[in-house]
Every structure is written in C-alpha cells, then in structure tokens.
C-alpha cells in the first residue's frame, strides 16, 4: 500500500498595507501628485493618486527633525537628530519610470544643534534651515554650499518662509544700485549659483526670507543686502507659521498666542490682528490673498477674510484635547488642500466652494474629499465586509472603525481627490467614545458589530453600493469594557427575502462578553417595526459566565451554540436560546485568547489518540500558554494540542476546506481529509497547521510585533493578518503554483540527469562537467575529474589531462568557478580525493589571473573566497606534512632493508664457513 504524498502548503505575501506617516514634517509636490512623509528615521515618497510607494529613503538611525522637498520633486532634504543633513537628487528609474531613485549627493552638518525647521524657495534652488541655536543658514541645494548666514534670534527658530515683495518708492533708488552691483558681481563670477535672485526686466521685487522664533519675534532678512531690515515684535508666544501674498503685498504670521497678524510689506506695520482663540500651528493665504486659512489645536480648518479678520466658515465641532492640525499643505495651482492631524491622519479638502465665495458671506466647512491614514497604529481586530468582501474593517486602537478599500482595479491616476486604490481609506465609522477592542461580521458582510471600552456595542449597516455606513443600533448595559462580540453565522434559507436583501434584514441577535465577566444576548429589532421611544435594544438574558475577563465569543454554524473564552483558562459552551452551559473545556494553563467553531462541512479528524468523531462539532482555541487546542463537542475532550509558538497565541481560525480542491496533483482522499487551521501569536508569526498530523505546514513571517488580528477571505482563501506594527499583510495561497513549479522542476531535473548520464557514457567531458556544475552533483563531478586526471597517457600540453577539459575549466562563469572551488575545498579534506583536488586547483590557478579569483563572491554567510582558501590551505599543509613524514619514514625503510641485506650476507658467510669445517 502506497502512502499518500505530503502536500507542502505554501503562502506568499500578496499585498500589504503599511504606514506612511508617524509624525513630523510633510511635503507635497507642486502638481499635487507626490506626497513626502516621515516614518520614524525614514522618508517616504508616495503617489497621492495611486497610493504607490515611489521611493523609501533610509535614515541614519536617528529620528528626522526636518523634511523638505523641492516643488518639482528634483531634490529631497532630510535632517535628523544626529545633526546631519542629507541632500538627495530624485531621478526616475530606467526600467520603472514611475518610481523614483534617491541618490545621495551630500551629507552636511548644518548647525551645532538639530535643525528644527526649514523652507525651500519657489524655484527649488535655495534652502533655509533654522536650528535650536538661533542661527539661520541659506543653502544652494545643487551646489551644497552656504550662501547666507543670519544671526539675531535668541531662541529656537520655529518658522521660515521665502518670499518676493514689492519695494517702496523710497527704497527703489538705493535698491536699484544694489541690484546693478549684484548683477555685475554675478557676471564676474559665473560659478556662483544665483537662481532665485533673477528678476524680469522692469520688475520691482525684492527677495526676502522671513523667520520666526520661540520668543515671538519675526525678522525679515534681505537676501541681497544680507542683513535684517526689520524686526516685527507683536506676538507673545512661538511663531509657528509665516506666509506671504504677492497680490496683497502682505505677510501673514500665526502664533500659539492664538492670534494671526497681517503685515504690510512696504511699511512693515501690522495691518490687522485677528484673534482666532486657539493655539495655531499653521496658516496661509489662498490664491488671491482675500482669504486665509488657519489650523491648530481645535482640529478644525477655518477660513477668514483678510481685510476684516472675520471668520468665514460656519461654526464647527471642536476636537478633543489630543486632536489638532499640525500642517496644511496648499498650492494655488491645486483644487484641494491637505490637513495633517496629530493622529497621523491626512485629510483632503475641496477648494471648490471658495471659487464662488464673496466677501461678507458665510461658508460651510470645506468638503472632505477623502482621508489618508498615515498609520493604522496597533491593529487589534479586522474583518472583511460587504457582500463582495471588497472592504476591510480595521479596529486600530482608536474609537473609530476604518473601512479600507481592497479594490483590485486600476486606480485613477488623473486625480488625487478620488484615491480609489488598494488600501485607500473609504469611510470612518464614528460613534464609540473609547477604543474599539473587538468586531465581528455576519454571513453577508453587510452588518458589522463592534465592542469598545466605552462599555457599549454597536451594530453598523454597511451599504457600500450607496456609500452609506451608518450606526444601526447601540447596545448599552455592560458595566465594563467589551472584549468579545459575535453575530450569528448561519445564512437564511436560499430564496428568502432575508437572503436576497441582507441590508433590509439585520441579524436576529447579538452576543457580547465583557470585563464584567458576563455574557449578554441582545435582541436586534428592525427599525421598520420600532415604535414610539422603544429604540434601545434590550438584553434577552445576562449570564455570569467566568471568573475573569472574557476575551472571545464565537457562534457555531447553525447558531444554536456559542462559546466564551476567558482569562480564567476555561472555555464554556452555551446554548444560544436558553443561555445555559452545555459543557466546559479545561486544559489550558493560561488565559484563552481566541475560540472558533468548525464549519459543518469539516470531516472527521485524527486526534492524538486516533480517529475522532466530529458529528457534534469541533472547537478551536488559542491560549496564553503558547498552545493551540482542538476540542470535540461530543465529550468536550481535547483531541489534539499543537505546540510551536514562542509566545501567546492570540488568534485562531479554521481554513476554508476547498483551498486545494482544484489541484490535479492532490489525490481525492487528500482533498476530503485536508483540514487546516491558522494561528497568530505574540511572537509576530502566523502558523498554518495540519489538523490530522498536528504538524506545522508553514510559518508566515512579515510582522515585527505581535499579531492581534487574523481572518481569512472565504471566497479565495487569502489570509489577512494585522499586528502591533500597524501592518496589514495579505497572504496568498501559493500551494498550487508551488506544486506545479516543483513538478516542472523535478521533470526538468530528471531530464538533465539523464542527459548527464548520456554525456558521461559518450565521453563528452566538456558538456558533462558543465552540466554537473549546473546540477550541483559533486560525486559525479568528482568521478569525471578523476577520470580526466588519471588519463593515461595525458594529451600533450594539457594541464588536466584532456585539452577539452582545460577549455571548460578556463571559461567558467564566476558562479561556476566559485562552486568548483567549494567542491575542491571539500575534496581536499580527504586523502583519497586530495590529489584530484590539487590537480584541478593547479589548473585553475594557471588559467585565471589573481584579480579574477579575488573578485569571486559567494552567497550566504561564511562562503567568501577567504574562507575557501583558508580551508584549502589548512588541509593542503596537512597533506604535505603527511607526505614529508612518509618521505622521512621511507629513509628508515631503506636503511632497514640495507641493514637486513648486510645481515643476510653475514649469516650466509657463517653458514658456509660451518659447512667447510
């Protein structure tokens, strides 16, 4: 009887959703397509239209303190806490023109303290940096040298801004002389880069740099005169933003003293002081200068009239203390602006309402086009939603649920406002007042249940077709935070109204588990039959379930049983209708984090004690004791314990049974018996297990922190994992392709081995040696070379014994040559094969120059040329020492033989003498 072949399960990373922003500076190209963000010590360039990562710039080990990009995205400047500043040129890749290749041009030390802020002029040629030492430096980006150094501020430089302003009539005469003098100087020294100081004929613009510091003072620096022309001292706190409008010839300054001041660029007197009643972080003019925007600690985008200082936007809801706007990215050529918030979220606002806005009129808050999550923080739970399962709901250590698009279609590259690409934020489900801990989805994907630390659960109606995502019901009654939630998983009968129209038929009930150690079953009443004030759902029953926190709840396939897992190390099986305990699963040594029922199609499995019945169902659990257990509902016994994780098992799921059923290589018996589960742990790993053997089929590693969330797409078997590293990984089942590739490789190898045998049989040494190296057959290669070396008589003028073999050895590729040296090293360790190794090594040394041999590199650690030569030298010295000892011993043998001959002659003479006597 032949044994069933083992099918190797393999998964590969199909896609990921990764963080792009974790705080710090943000930049945007002038065309609004390239977004530049800080990710710790790294800088990321992302296509705002498609979400594609264009380039990743590695840091120097320290967090970035400033990040700037030129308007044309020709250069990128990064400054870190290590006091270094790096200037990169950004060039398209030759083979992938959509991507950018950052090339480090210079590494500089601009200041004696970290760079706090910076600015790039409109031409992208000048860079200003301000440090904590109160010094401002202006740099030529392409040349990499300092053109100006300004001192005068007493504290940290907090804001910088290049601008061009019209000069006054009084200044025109003197400045004209300075311009003529500057032009002569520029003509005399063509090597000095002066782009940014050029003026059109008849222009009356002066080039300035405005700087603000933590002492509230603003200084205006004339770049032609190289000195400060005025100091503006009206703010009483840190100046956070500076912006200039050429149309209004006005400078705007925003401070944390809750005021905005507009300054006349001719007299440098304050035109208007606008009290905004919030600490500001950013502000700026819109294109015409008639209106300006502000953003700060209130977390709202506000629009104001420049002339009157009146707020144009209608009253908005102020954010919490932890919320706020850090930056606003605006360009007059774009039809949107981007607000950057303290929760690492970027929001795109439409500017269309501003086009028709007239002075004296009110304006609704600027419409939100879309959200971009810079980071999803710690992903606690996730689930596929909608009937097509094309959205992913994420619980991200916040009070909101994020719906992320999984659309595989071609993104719209023409507009940054649409953002319809894989991983794009679709909607934000807001309603909970504290962190959401758990979520669950019903059979249709149209109803999502969430539980949070605000002691409430919510049921959400997901109508993606109509872009409607609303809170359907709120369940209030638990005394502590909810840690577990479950919806019925049984679909209604096919052909029924509830089956064809799931959006109009919410789940019949909801199960919740809490830190108050109770479980509740809630009645879900459709809104169509809710009467009067009876809108609050009621609990059908409440049960004291466990002695400690409840971590998970799951419902079986026909919604007759549910299981609750707790920190008290037990899992209890309950009846859904009565809420009575049917059985208790005991065996875990620590708290149980996850529990799942097997589907009704799950076949009988083989446990540790032999075949086990699954007629009443199976339960899967994961625990803090690092184990996964499979239980039988027939007698509530443990059928199998799976060990392999090095930390707590936080999530377990049953894999779809039909994942390999289309494989022609899989036998029918294997199709019917293959039952797999997946587990995620605090060790950052996802493991796939064979239930019948208890072995780990494969380990998936793409997370750097614990994996809290794990789910599977029922339609295609894609595993989705999310963890504390804020990364969502989509694992594609590649078993079919792996089996096909393995079969093709095996067939090709058999054919090549047969071809090698044919070459050996016909004496085609050239082809045989080349193929033996390619197939990595050391034994056959040794046999071939031994035959060649022992050729008698050898061909004249041949190094190895055959000229054809000499030609092969003299024309090896670097990889083949290094492989042959590895084989020679191994053969040289054996006295019987050392002569062949020494002969072939001699051939190689004679055939290749030293420069070629020293340039060889191996793959992997410990496989460099030095290691190979060290191994060859050690055993070669041993062989020569043995040969010298043999030579020395041969002298003793010669001496002994000679002496024995002398003794023999003497004995013969004595014998003859005795005969004579």
């Amino acid at each position: 009887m032949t044994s069933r072949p083992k099918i190797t399960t393999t998964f590969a990373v199909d896609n990921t959703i990764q963080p792009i922003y974790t705080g710090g500076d943000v930049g945007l190209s002038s065309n609004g397509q390239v977004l530049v963000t800080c990710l710790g010590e790294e800088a990321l360039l992302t296509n705002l239209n498609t979400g594609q990562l264009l380039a990743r710039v590695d840091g120097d080990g320290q967090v970035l303190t400033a990040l700037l990009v030129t308007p044309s995205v020709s250069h990128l400047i990064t400054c870190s806490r290590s006091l270094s500043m790096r200037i990169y040129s950004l060039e398209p890749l030759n083979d992938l023109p959509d991507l950018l290749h950052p090339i480090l041009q210079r590494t500089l030390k601009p200041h004696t303290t970290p760079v706090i802020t910076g600015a790039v002029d409109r031409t992208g040629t000048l860079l200003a940096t301000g440090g904590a030492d109160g010094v401002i430096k202006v740099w030529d980006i392409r040349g990499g040298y300092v053109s100006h150094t300004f001192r005068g501020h007493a504290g940290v430089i907090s804001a910088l801004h290049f601008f061009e302003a019209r000069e006054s009539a009084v200044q025109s005469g003197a400045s004209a002389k300075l311009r003529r003098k500057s032009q002569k100087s520029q003509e005399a020294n063509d090597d000095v880069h002066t782009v940014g100081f050029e003026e059109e004929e008849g222009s009356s613009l002066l080039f300035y740099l405005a700087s603000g510091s933590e002492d509230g003072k603003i200084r205006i620096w004339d770049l032609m005169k190289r000195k400060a022309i005025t100091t503006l001292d009206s703010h009483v706190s840190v100046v956070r933003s500076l912006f200039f409008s050429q149309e209004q010839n006005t400078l705007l300054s925003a401070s944390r003293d809750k005021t905005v001041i507009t300054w006349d660029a001719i007299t440098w007197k304050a035109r208007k002081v606008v009290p905004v009643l919030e600490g500001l972080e950013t502000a700026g003019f819109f294109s015409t200068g008639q209106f300006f925007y502000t953003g700060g600690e209130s977390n709202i985008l506000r629009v104001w009239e420049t002339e009157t200082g009146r707020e144009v936007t209608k009253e908005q809801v102020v954010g919490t203390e932890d919320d706020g706007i850090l930056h606003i990215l605006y360009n007059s050529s774009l039809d949107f602006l981007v607000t950057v918030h303290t929760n690492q979220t970027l929001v795109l606002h439409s500017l269309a309402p501003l086009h028709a806005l007239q002075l004296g009129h009110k304006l609704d808050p600027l419409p939100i086009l879309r959200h971009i999550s810079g980071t999803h923080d710690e992903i606690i739970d996730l689930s596929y939603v909608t009937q097509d399962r094309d959205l992913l709901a994420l619980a991200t250590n916040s009070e909101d649920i994020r719906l992320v698009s999984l659309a595989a279609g071609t993104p719209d590259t023409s507009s940054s406002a649409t953002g319809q690409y894989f991983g794009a934020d679709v909607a934000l489900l807001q309603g909970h007042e504290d962190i959401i801990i758990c979520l669950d989805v019903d059979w249709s994907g149209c109803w999502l249940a969430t539980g949070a630390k605000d002691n409430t659960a919510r049921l959400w109606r997901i109508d993606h077709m109509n872009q409607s995502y609303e809170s359907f019901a709120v369940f209030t009654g638990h005394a502590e935070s909810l840690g577990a939630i479950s919806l019925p998983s049984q679909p209604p009968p096919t052909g029924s109204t509830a089956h064809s129209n799931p959006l109009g038929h919410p789940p019949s009930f909801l199960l919740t588990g809490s830190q108050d150690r109770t479980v509740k079953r809630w009645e879900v009443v459709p809104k169509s039959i809710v009467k009067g004030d009876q809108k609050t759902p009621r609990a059908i029953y409440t049960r004291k379930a466990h002695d400690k926190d409840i971590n998970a709840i799951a419902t079986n396939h026909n919604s007759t049983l549910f299981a609750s897992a707790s920190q008290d190390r037990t899992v209890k099986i309950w009846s859904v209708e009565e809420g009575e305990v049917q059985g208790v699963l005991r065996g875990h040594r620590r708290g149980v984090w996850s529990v799942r029922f097997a589907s009704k199609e799950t076949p009988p499995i083989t446990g540790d004690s032999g075949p086990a019945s699954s007629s009443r169902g199976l339960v899967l659990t994961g625990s803090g004791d690092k184990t996964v257990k499979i239980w039988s509902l027939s007698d509530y016994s443990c059928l199998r314990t799976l060990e392999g994780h090095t930390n707590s098992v936080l999530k377990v799921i049953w894999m779809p049974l039909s994942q390999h059923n289309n494989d022609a290589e899989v036998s029918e018996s294997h199709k019917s018996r293959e039952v797999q589960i997946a587990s995620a742990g605090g060790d950052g790993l996802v493991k796939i297990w064979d239930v019948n053997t208890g072995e780990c089929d494969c380990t998936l590693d793409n997370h750097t922190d614990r994996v809290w969330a794990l789910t599977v797409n029922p339609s295609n078997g894609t595993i989705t994992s999310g963890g504390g590293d804020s990364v969502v990984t989509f694992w594609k089942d590649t078993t079919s392709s792996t089996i096909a590739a393995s079969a093709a490789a095996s067939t090709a190898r058999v054919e090549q081995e047969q071809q090698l045998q044919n070459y050996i049989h016909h004496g085609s040494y050239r082809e045989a040696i080349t193929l033996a190296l390619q197939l990595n057959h050391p034994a056959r290669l040794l046999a071939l070379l031994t035959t060649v070396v022992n050729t008698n008589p050898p061909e004249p003028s041949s190094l190895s014994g055959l000229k054809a073999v000499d030609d092969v050895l003299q024309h090896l590729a670097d990889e083949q040559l290094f492989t042959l040296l590895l084989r020679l090293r191994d053969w040289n360790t054996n006295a019987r094969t050392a002569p062949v190794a020494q002969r072939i090594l001699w051939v190689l040394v004679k055939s290749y120059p030293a420069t070629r041999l020293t340039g060889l590199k191996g793959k992997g650690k410990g496989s460099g040329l030095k290691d190979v030569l060290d191994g060859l030298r050690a055993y070669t010295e041993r062989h020569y020492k043995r040969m010298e000892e043999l030579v020395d011993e041969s002298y003793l043998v010669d001496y002994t033989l000679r002496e024995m001959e002398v003794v023999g002659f003497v004995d013969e003479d004595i014998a003859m003498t005795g005969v004579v006597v």
Side-chain angles (χ1 to χ4, degrees), residues 603-650:
I605 69 169
T606 302
D608 292 332
S609 303
S613 173
S614 61
S615 58
R616 295 196 59 186
L618 301 172
V619 174
L620 179 66
T621 59
S623 168
D625 60 9
K626 310 174 188 178
T627 65
V628 178
K629 289 182 180 290
I630 302 172
W631 309 79
S632 171
L633 291 180
S634 300
D635 55 0
Y636 304 106
S637 62
C638 179
L639 301 179
R640 188 176 289 280
T641 300
L642 310 176
E643 298 180 349
H645 282 284
T646 58
N647 210 321
S648 301
V649 178
L650 303 175

Side-chain angles (χ1 to χ4, degrees), residues 19 26 49 92 115 162 171 184 307 318 329 399 524 534 600 603 624 699 706 759 776 778 784 852 855 894 897 905:
V26 181
N49 301 345
V115 175
F162 286 102
Q171 295 173 318
K184 292 179 181 179
E307 187 67 26
V318 178
L329 309 179
E399 61 273 13
V524 180
Q534 190 181 354
K600 63 178 180 181
T699 299
R706 62 184 62 191
Y759 287 147
N776 195 19
L784 282 170
R852 171 77 181 278
D894 290 340
L897 290 176
F905 291 143

